[in-house]
């Protein structure tokens, strides 16, 4: 099944793909344990960071635009623009892990994983893109994220500044 393109990957990468392709809840739980063992070991099981989810919709878009404004590295700008496209199109799901695979990876390793999985399983590729942005602190400003949520849970629109920035960014990409 997945072995066709997994002959050149390490065990963790193989397990992450298996997790993404698994349709069974019991199988996902079993694979989560194996991912945990491969990444931080059984001795640290109690300290394993739980997956808490990522912002979505307008709060995510606002955080990405702010990160894009503050970034100069070309490779990172491309990754951010790719995620902005996923957010505005709304077609790519995000893989859901109960426990974080590679919980202590640096942002550049997470970028490599995002790139690696993008062509194999877009939902896992998107998961690692979001983890990259999280590692860079894009979601640390809880005030920014809350600013775009209303009292009733509905998402309000972007500020005029962010809206203009998004429009200019789209015009420059075309």
């Amino acid at each position: 099944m997945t072995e066709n393109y997994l002959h050149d990957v390490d065990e963790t990468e193989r397990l992450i793909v298996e997790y993404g392709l698994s349709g069974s809840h019991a199988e996902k739980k079993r694979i989560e344990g194996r991912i945990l063992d491969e990444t931080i070991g059984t001795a640290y099981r109690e300290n394993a960071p739980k997956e808490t989810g990522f912002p979505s919709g307008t709060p995510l878009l606002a955080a990405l635009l702010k990160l894009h404004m503050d970034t100069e590295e070309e490779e990172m700008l491309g990754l951010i623009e790719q995620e902005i496209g996923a957010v505005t199109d709304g077609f790519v799901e995000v893989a859901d892990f109960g426990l974080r695979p590679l919980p202590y990876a640096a942002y550049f390793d997470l970028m490599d994983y995002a790139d690696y999985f993008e062509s194999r399983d877009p939902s896992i590729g998107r998961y690692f893109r979001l983890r990259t942005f999280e590692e860079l602190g894009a979601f640390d400003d809880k005030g920014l994220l809350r600013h775009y949520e209303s009292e009733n849970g509905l998402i309000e629109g972007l500020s005029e500044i962010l809206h203009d920035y998004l429009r200019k960014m789209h015009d420059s990409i075309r």
Side-chain angles (χ1 to χ4, degrees), residues 34-152:
R34 291 184 57 206
I35 290 171
L36 182 63
D37 290 343
E38 287 292 323
T39 57
I40 60 176
T42 56
Y44 302 103
R45 186 174 296 272
E46 306 81 39
N47 299 329
K50 297 281 187 215
E51 189 57 64
T52 57
F54 303 104
S56 61
T58 306
L60 174 58
L61 189 56
L64 293 172
L65 290 170
K66 184 172 179 340
L67 182 63
H68 194 274
M69 289 179 200
D70 298 340
T71 301
E72 294 180 10
E73 183 183 334
E74 285 297 318
E75 188 177 0
M76 184 59 67
L77 288 171
L79 200 65
I80 297 166
E81 290 165 4
Q82 184 179 3
E83 183 59 26
I84 288 172
V87 172
T88 56
D89 292 344
F91 298 126
V92 181
E93 294 293 320
V94 179
D96 184 26
F97 294 93
L99 290 172
R100 290 176 174 251
L102 308 165
Y104 304 113
Y107 83 91
F108 46 84
D109 291 330
L110 294 168
M111 284 177 68
D112 290 343
Y113 278 105
D115 183 50
Y116 176 81
F117 285 111
E118 186 61 35
S119 62
R120 290 164 175 81
D121 185 325
S123 69
I124 295 176
R126 185 164 184 216
Y127 169 84
F128 281 109
R129 274 200 314 266
L130 291 170
R131 283 276 309 279
T132 300
F133 305 141
E134 181 180 58
E135 183 67 23
L136 291 171
F139 310 136
D140 290 350
D141 186 353
K142 301 301 183 199
L144 172 72
L145 299 176
R146 269 190 234 100
H147 175 72
Y148 293 100
E149 294 176 6
S150 68
E151 294 283 321
N152 59 6

Side-chain angles (χ1 to χ4, degrees), residues 61 65 69 148 157-170:
L61 189 56
L65 290 170
M69 289 179 200
Y148 293 100
L158 290 175
S159 69
E160 203 52 45
I161 293 169
L162 291 178
H163 188 71
D164 288 344
Y165 187 83
L166 178 61
R167 189 175 318 122
K168 288 175 186 170
M169 188 178 74
H170 277 300

